[in-house]
Short mmCIF file of all heavy atoms in Angstrom, two decimals:
data_model
loop_
_atom_site.label_atom_id
_atom_site.label_comp_id
_atom_site.label_asym_id
_atom_site.label_seq_id
_atom_site.Cartn_x
_atom_site.Cartn_y
_atom_site.Cartn_z
N ILE Q 39 120.35 118.17 94.99
CA ILE Q 39 121.47 117.68 94.20
C ILE Q 39 121.41 118.16 92.76
O ILE Q 39 120.31 118.65 92.35
CB ILE Q 39 121.61 116.15 94.27
CG1 ILE Q 39 120.36 115.49 93.72
CG2 ILE Q 39 121.80 115.67 95.72
CD1 ILE Q 39 120.45 113.94 93.62
N SER Q 40 122.42 117.93 92.01
CA SER Q 40 122.37 118.34 90.59
C SER Q 40 121.47 117.44 89.78
O SER Q 40 121.20 116.28 90.14
CB SER Q 40 123.76 118.32 89.97
OG SER Q 40 124.24 117.01 89.78
N HIS Q 41 120.98 118.01 88.65
CA HIS Q 41 120.13 117.23 87.77
C HIS Q 41 120.93 116.00 87.25
O HIS Q 41 120.41 114.87 87.17
CB HIS Q 41 119.65 118.10 86.62
CG HIS Q 41 118.70 117.41 85.68
ND1 HIS Q 41 119.20 116.79 84.53
CD2 HIS Q 41 117.37 117.23 85.68
CE1 HIS Q 41 118.18 116.25 83.88
NE2 HIS Q 41 117.09 116.53 84.56
N ALA Q 42 122.17 116.20 86.94
CA ALA Q 42 122.98 115.14 86.40
C ALA Q 42 123.17 114.02 87.41
O ALA Q 42 123.10 112.84 87.08
CB ALA Q 42 124.41 115.67 86.00
N LEU Q 43 123.38 114.37 88.64
CA LEU Q 43 123.52 113.35 89.70
C LEU Q 43 122.23 112.61 89.92
O LEU Q 43 122.20 111.36 90.11
CB LEU Q 43 123.99 113.97 91.04
CG LEU Q 43 124.31 112.99 92.16
CD1 LEU Q 43 125.41 111.95 91.75
CD2 LEU Q 43 124.78 113.78 93.38
N ALA Q 44 121.13 113.36 89.91
CA ALA Q 44 119.77 112.69 90.07
C ALA Q 44 119.57 111.71 88.94
O ALA Q 44 119.07 110.57 89.14
CB ALA Q 44 118.68 113.70 90.11
N SER Q 45 119.93 112.12 87.68
CA SER Q 45 119.76 111.23 86.51
C SER Q 45 120.65 109.98 86.69
O SER Q 45 120.21 108.88 86.33
CB SER Q 45 120.15 111.93 85.26
OG SER Q 45 119.28 112.96 85.00
N GLN Q 46 121.81 110.13 87.15
CA GLN Q 46 122.77 109.03 87.35
C GLN Q 46 122.14 108.04 88.36
O GLN Q 46 122.14 106.84 88.18
CB GLN Q 46 124.08 109.51 87.84
CG GLN Q 46 125.13 108.47 88.10
CD GLN Q 46 126.41 109.03 88.64
OE1 GLN Q 46 126.63 110.21 88.68
NE2 GLN Q 46 127.22 108.16 89.20
N HIS Q 47 121.65 108.54 89.48
CA HIS Q 47 121.07 107.62 90.48
C HIS Q 47 119.84 106.96 89.95
O HIS Q 47 119.63 105.76 90.22
CB HIS Q 47 120.76 108.47 91.75
CG HIS Q 47 121.87 108.78 92.62
ND1 HIS Q 47 122.80 107.87 93.05
CD2 HIS Q 47 122.29 110.04 93.11
CE1 HIS Q 47 123.72 108.49 93.82
NE2 HIS Q 47 123.46 109.75 93.84
N LEU Q 48 119.00 107.68 89.21
CA LEU Q 48 117.79 107.03 88.62
C LEU Q 48 118.15 105.91 87.67
O LEU Q 48 117.55 104.87 87.65
CB LEU Q 48 116.94 108.10 87.90
CG LEU Q 48 115.90 108.82 88.71
CD1 LEU Q 48 115.29 109.95 87.86
CD2 LEU Q 48 114.90 107.89 89.33
N ARG Q 49 119.20 106.13 86.83
CA ARG Q 49 119.69 105.12 85.95
C ARG Q 49 120.08 103.87 86.67
O ARG Q 49 119.75 102.73 86.32
CB ARG Q 49 120.79 105.60 85.05
CG ARG Q 49 120.37 106.34 83.83
CD ARG Q 49 121.49 106.58 82.85
NE ARG Q 49 122.66 107.28 83.38
CZ ARG Q 49 122.77 108.55 83.52
NH1 ARG Q 49 121.81 109.39 83.13
NH2 ARG Q 49 123.88 109.05 84.08
N ARG Q 50 120.79 104.05 87.78
CA ARG Q 50 121.21 102.89 88.60
C ARG Q 50 120.05 102.17 89.20
O ARG Q 50 120.01 100.93 89.13
CB ARG Q 50 122.12 103.42 89.73
CG ARG Q 50 122.76 102.29 90.54
CD ARG Q 50 123.83 101.52 89.76
NE ARG Q 50 124.26 100.42 90.46
CZ ARG Q 50 125.24 100.37 91.36
NH1 ARG Q 50 125.94 101.47 91.58
NH2 ARG Q 50 125.61 99.29 91.95
N LEU Q 51 119.06 102.88 89.70
CA LEU Q 51 117.91 102.24 90.25
C LEU Q 51 117.08 101.51 89.19
O LEU Q 51 116.52 100.46 89.41
CB LEU Q 51 116.98 103.24 91.01
CG LEU Q 51 117.60 103.86 92.31
CD1 LEU Q 51 116.81 105.03 92.75
CD2 LEU Q 51 117.66 102.75 93.32
N ASP Q 52 117.01 102.10 88.01
CA ASP Q 52 116.35 101.48 86.90
C ASP Q 52 117.02 100.21 86.43
O ASP Q 52 116.40 99.18 86.16
CB ASP Q 52 116.22 102.49 85.70
CG ASP Q 52 115.35 102.01 84.60
OD1 ASP Q 52 114.33 101.30 84.87
OD2 ASP Q 52 115.68 102.29 83.43
N GLU Q 53 118.38 100.22 86.41
CA GLU Q 53 119.12 99.01 85.97
C GLU Q 53 118.86 97.86 86.90
O GLU Q 53 118.87 96.73 86.40
CB GLU Q 53 120.64 99.36 86.07
CG GLU Q 53 121.15 100.33 84.97
CD GLU Q 53 122.50 100.79 85.23
OE1 GLU Q 53 123.24 100.34 86.24
OE2 GLU Q 53 123.05 101.62 84.44
N VAL Q 54 118.66 98.09 88.19
CA VAL Q 54 118.46 96.97 89.10
C VAL Q 54 116.92 96.64 89.30
O VAL Q 54 116.60 95.80 90.13
CB VAL Q 54 119.16 97.17 90.43
CG1 VAL Q 54 120.66 97.23 90.23
CG2 VAL Q 54 118.66 98.34 91.19
N GLY Q 55 116.08 97.36 88.65
CA GLY Q 55 114.63 97.05 88.66
C GLY Q 55 113.91 97.67 89.87
O GLY Q 55 112.84 97.17 90.16
N VAL Q 56 114.42 98.69 90.55
CA VAL Q 56 113.77 99.21 91.68
C VAL Q 56 112.75 100.33 91.26
O VAL Q 56 111.76 100.60 91.88
CB VAL Q 56 114.79 99.76 92.73
CG1 VAL Q 56 114.12 100.49 93.91
CG2 VAL Q 56 115.66 98.62 93.21
N VAL Q 57 113.13 101.05 90.19
CA VAL Q 57 112.20 102.06 89.60
C VAL Q 57 111.96 101.69 88.14
O VAL Q 57 112.72 100.94 87.54
CB VAL Q 57 112.78 103.47 89.70
CG1 VAL Q 57 113.02 103.88 91.23
CG2 VAL Q 57 114.00 103.71 88.89
N GLU Q 58 110.96 102.24 87.63
CA GLU Q 58 110.61 102.06 86.20
C GLU Q 58 110.12 103.32 85.59
O GLU Q 58 109.56 104.20 86.31
CB GLU Q 58 109.56 100.97 86.03
CG GLU Q 58 108.22 101.32 86.70
CD GLU Q 58 107.27 100.14 86.72
OE1 GLU Q 58 107.59 99.07 86.21
OE2 GLU Q 58 106.13 100.33 87.19
N LEU Q 59 110.26 103.44 84.30
CA LEU Q 59 109.73 104.64 83.59
C LEU Q 59 108.22 104.59 83.66
O LEU Q 59 107.61 103.61 83.23
CB LEU Q 59 110.26 104.61 82.11
CG LEU Q 59 109.86 105.79 81.27
CD1 LEU Q 59 110.43 107.11 81.88
CD2 LEU Q 59 110.31 105.60 79.86
N ALA Q 60 107.67 105.64 84.18
CA ALA Q 60 106.16 105.69 84.28
C ALA Q 60 105.57 106.45 83.18
O ALA Q 60 104.46 106.14 82.70
CB ALA Q 60 105.80 106.37 85.61
N GLU Q 61 106.19 107.55 82.74
CA GLU Q 61 105.65 108.36 81.65
C GLU Q 61 106.73 109.20 81.07
O GLU Q 61 107.71 109.55 81.72
CB GLU Q 61 104.49 109.20 82.15
CG GLU Q 61 104.87 110.24 83.19
CD GLU Q 61 103.68 111.00 83.72
OE1 GLU Q 61 102.87 111.51 82.94
OE2 GLU Q 61 103.59 111.16 84.94
N VAL Q 62 106.57 109.63 79.80
CA VAL Q 62 107.37 110.62 79.16
C VAL Q 62 106.41 111.69 78.67
O VAL Q 62 105.44 111.44 78.05
CB VAL Q 62 108.10 110.03 77.95
CG1 VAL Q 62 108.96 111.07 77.27
CG2 VAL Q 62 109.01 108.84 78.36
N ARG Q 63 106.74 112.89 79.06
CA ARG Q 63 105.86 114.04 78.66
C ARG Q 63 106.66 115.21 78.15
O ARG Q 63 107.80 115.37 78.55
CB ARG Q 63 104.89 114.46 79.82
CG ARG Q 63 105.59 114.92 81.09
CD ARG Q 63 104.52 115.18 82.11
NE ARG Q 63 105.16 115.88 83.23
CZ ARG Q 63 104.57 116.22 84.32
NH1 ARG Q 63 103.29 115.85 84.51
NH2 ARG Q 63 105.17 116.85 85.32
N ALA Q 64 106.05 115.98 77.32
CA ALA Q 64 106.67 117.14 76.77
C ALA Q 64 106.82 118.19 77.82
O ALA Q 64 106.04 118.38 78.68
CB ALA Q 64 105.88 117.72 75.60
N ASN Q 65 108.07 118.84 77.82
CA ASN Q 65 108.40 119.84 78.77
C ASN Q 65 109.33 120.84 78.16
O ASN Q 65 110.48 120.49 77.91
CB ASN Q 65 108.96 119.22 80.03
CG ASN Q 65 109.18 120.23 81.15
OD1 ASN Q 65 108.75 121.38 81.06
ND2 ASN Q 65 109.80 119.81 82.20
N ARG Q 66 108.87 122.03 77.84
CA ARG Q 66 109.71 123.11 77.30
C ARG Q 66 110.46 122.65 76.06
O ARG Q 66 111.67 122.89 75.94
CB ARG Q 66 110.69 123.65 78.31
CG ARG Q 66 110.03 124.30 79.53
CD ARG Q 66 111.10 124.91 80.39
NE ARG Q 66 110.54 125.00 81.74
CZ ARG Q 66 111.24 124.68 82.82
NH1 ARG Q 66 112.43 124.36 82.77
NH2 ARG Q 66 110.65 124.82 84.03
N GLY Q 67 109.82 122.00 75.17
CA GLY Q 67 110.39 121.59 73.90
C GLY Q 67 111.19 120.30 74.04
O GLY Q 67 111.71 119.83 73.02
N GLY Q 68 111.33 119.80 75.22
CA GLY Q 68 112.05 118.54 75.44
C GLY Q 68 111.12 117.49 75.91
O GLY Q 68 109.90 117.60 75.90
N ARG Q 69 111.71 116.38 76.34
CA ARG Q 69 110.98 115.27 76.93
C ARG Q 69 111.40 114.97 78.32
O ARG Q 69 112.55 114.83 78.60
CB ARG Q 69 111.18 114.00 76.06
CG ARG Q 69 110.58 114.16 74.65
CD ARG Q 69 110.87 113.01 73.79
NE ARG Q 69 111.24 111.76 74.53
CZ ARG Q 69 111.22 110.58 74.03
NH1 ARG Q 69 110.93 110.39 72.76
NH2 ARG Q 69 111.54 109.53 74.75
N GLU Q 70 110.41 114.98 79.20
CA GLU Q 70 110.66 114.74 80.63
C GLU Q 70 110.34 113.30 80.94
O GLU Q 70 109.15 112.84 80.69
CB GLU Q 70 109.78 115.67 81.44
CG GLU Q 70 109.98 115.51 82.96
CD GLU Q 70 109.13 116.46 83.70
OE1 GLU Q 70 107.84 116.39 83.52
OE2 GLU Q 70 109.67 117.26 84.49
N ARG Q 71 111.26 112.48 81.40
CA ARG Q 71 111.04 111.14 81.80
C ARG Q 71 110.76 111.05 83.30
O ARG Q 71 111.59 111.54 84.11
CB ARG Q 71 112.27 110.29 81.41
CG ARG Q 71 112.58 110.31 79.95
CD ARG Q 71 113.98 109.75 79.60
NE ARG Q 71 114.17 108.40 79.95
CZ ARG Q 71 113.73 107.35 79.17
NH1 ARG Q 71 113.19 107.56 78.04
NH2 ARG Q 71 113.94 106.13 79.59
N ARG Q 72 109.61 110.51 83.63
CA ARG Q 72 109.26 110.45 85.08
C ARG Q 72 109.22 108.98 85.48
O ARG Q 72 108.72 108.12 84.77
CB ARG Q 72 107.86 111.11 85.25
CG ARG Q 72 107.91 112.54 84.82
CD ARG Q 72 106.63 113.25 84.99
NE ARG Q 72 106.62 113.81 86.34
CZ ARG Q 72 105.58 113.82 87.17
NH1 ARG Q 72 104.48 113.35 86.79
NH2 ARG Q 72 105.67 114.36 88.37
N TYR Q 73 109.76 108.72 86.67
CA TYR Q 73 109.95 107.35 87.16
C TYR Q 73 109.12 107.16 88.40
O TYR Q 73 108.87 108.10 89.19
CB TYR Q 73 111.41 107.12 87.53
CG TYR Q 73 112.31 107.04 86.31
CD1 TYR Q 73 112.79 108.18 85.71
CD2 TYR Q 73 112.62 105.81 85.72
CE1 TYR Q 73 113.59 108.09 84.53
CE2 TYR Q 73 113.36 105.70 84.57
CZ TYR Q 73 113.83 106.86 84.02
OH TYR Q 73 114.65 106.77 82.87
N ARG Q 74 108.74 105.85 88.65
CA ARG Q 74 108.04 105.49 89.88
C ARG Q 74 108.74 104.22 90.40
O ARG Q 74 109.37 103.47 89.67
CB ARG Q 74 106.54 105.22 89.64
CG ARG Q 74 106.31 104.00 88.76
CD ARG Q 74 104.81 103.66 88.64
NE ARG Q 74 104.67 102.77 87.49
CZ ARG Q 74 103.95 103.00 86.44
NH1 ARG Q 74 103.28 104.14 86.32
NH2 ARG Q 74 103.94 102.13 85.46
N ALA Q 75 108.50 103.99 91.71
CA ALA Q 75 109.07 102.78 92.33
C ALA Q 75 108.31 101.54 91.87
O ALA Q 75 107.10 101.61 91.64
CB ALA Q 75 108.96 102.91 93.84
N VAL Q 76 109.03 100.46 91.73
CA VAL Q 76 108.42 99.18 91.48
C VAL Q 76 107.96 98.62 92.78
O VAL Q 76 108.83 98.45 93.70
CB VAL Q 76 109.39 98.25 90.74
CG1 VAL Q 76 108.82 96.85 90.55
CG2 VAL Q 76 109.84 98.84 89.40
N HIS Q 77 106.73 98.43 93.02
CA HIS Q 77 106.23 97.96 94.28
C HIS Q 77 106.65 96.54 94.59
O HIS Q 77 107.04 95.81 93.69
CB HIS Q 77 104.73 98.14 94.36
CG HIS Q 77 104.32 99.58 94.43
ND1 HIS Q 77 103.13 100.02 95.02
CD2 HIS Q 77 104.92 100.71 93.98
CE1 HIS Q 77 103.09 101.36 94.94
NE2 HIS Q 77 104.16 101.79 94.31
N GLY Q 78 106.60 96.19 95.83
CA GLY Q 78 107.09 94.91 96.29
C GLY Q 78 108.57 95.15 96.71
O GLY Q 78 109.49 94.56 96.22
N SER Q 79 108.74 96.07 97.60
CA SER Q 79 110.04 96.60 98.01
C SER Q 79 111.03 95.50 98.34
O SER Q 79 110.76 94.64 99.16
CB SER Q 79 109.87 97.53 99.19
OG SER Q 79 111.13 97.86 99.75
N PRO Q 80 112.21 95.60 97.74
CA PRO Q 80 113.31 94.63 98.07
C PRO Q 80 113.82 94.93 99.48
O PRO Q 80 114.58 94.16 99.98
CB PRO Q 80 114.34 94.89 97.00
CG PRO Q 80 114.05 96.24 96.51
CD PRO Q 80 112.58 96.49 96.67
N LEU Q 81 113.43 96.02 100.08
CA LEU Q 81 113.90 96.29 101.47
C LEU Q 81 113.04 95.56 102.50
O LEU Q 81 113.44 95.44 103.64
CB LEU Q 81 113.77 97.79 101.77
CG LEU Q 81 114.63 98.69 100.93
CD1 LEU Q 81 114.36 100.16 101.27
CD2 LEU Q 81 116.07 98.38 101.12
N SER Q 82 111.96 95.00 102.08
CA SER Q 82 110.99 94.43 103.09
C SER Q 82 111.51 93.20 103.76
O SER Q 82 111.12 92.91 104.83
CB SER Q 82 109.65 94.19 102.44
OG SER Q 82 109.80 93.20 101.41
#
Side-chain angles (χ1 to χ4, degrees):
I39 61 176
S40 72
H41 182 269
L43 186 57
S45 293
Q46 178 184 350
H47 284 308
L48 273 173
R49 277 192 303 277
R50 184 72 187 273
L51 291 169
D52 188 35
E53 288 169 4
V54 298
V56 175
V57 300
E58 62 189 1
L59 183 63
E61 64 182 313
V62 178
R63 61 184 191 184
N65 187 6
R66 295 186 206 139
R69 292 175 21 164
E70 179 181 59
R71 299 168 62 83
R72 302 181 88 219
Y73 290 84
R74 69 173 162 243
V76 175
H77 289 207
S79 171
L81 295 178
S82 63

